Amino acid sequence: MWTVVFFKGCSLHCRWCHNPESIHAAKEILLYPDRCIGCMACREVCPVGAQVFDETGHWIDRSKCIHCFKCCEECYADALVSVGE
C-alpha cells in the first residue's frame, strides 16, 4: 500500500506530475465540472464575471479571476473548491 502526500508550492515542474494543482504555492480555485449542477449561483456572486457557462459547459476565465473565492463559498454542490493555504 502507498501513501502519497502532496505539498503546494512544488517548484520541480516534472513532466510526469500527476498533481499539477500542487505546483503553485498560492491558494487556488479548482473546478470539478462533473459536480456542477448548473445553478449558476457562482456566476451571480463573481464580481468580475470569471465564471462562464456556455455550450461547452462551466469553466473559469482565469485571466479575469481575482481569487476572491466568493464562488467557492456560494457553490453548495462543491464543484468549486479552494485549495491551498
Side-chain angles (χ1 to χ4, degrees):
M1 177 150 91
W2 290 84
T3 300
V4 179
V5 178
F6 296 104
F7 295 100
K8 261 183 97 49
C10 179
S11 60
L12 296 178
H13 299 281
C14 301
R15 282 186 166 183
W16 57 85
C17 181
H18 61 282
N19 194 37
E21 297 88 8
S22 68
I23 293 173
H24 303 288
K27 194 171 179 180
E28 296 178 273
I29 298 171
L30 293 185
L31 169 63
Y32 295 97
D34 55 316
R35 296 182 190 172
C36 181
I37 59 173
C39 68
M40 298 187 195
C42 57
R43 187 172 77 173
E44 299 298 319
V45 297
C46 182
V48 294
Q51 298 298 325
V52 181
F53 290 83
D54 62 15
E55 64 278 349
T56 63
H58 178 192
W59 55 279
I60 303 170
D61 184 344
R62 298 196 184 269
S63 67
K64 290 182 179 179
C65 184
I66 59 172
H67 298 94
C68 66
F69 301 97
K70 290 180 182 178
C71 58
C72 297
E73 295 167 9
E74 191 68 23
C75 184
Y76 58 88
D78 289 330
L80 294 164
V81 180
S82 64
V83 294
E85 293 183 11

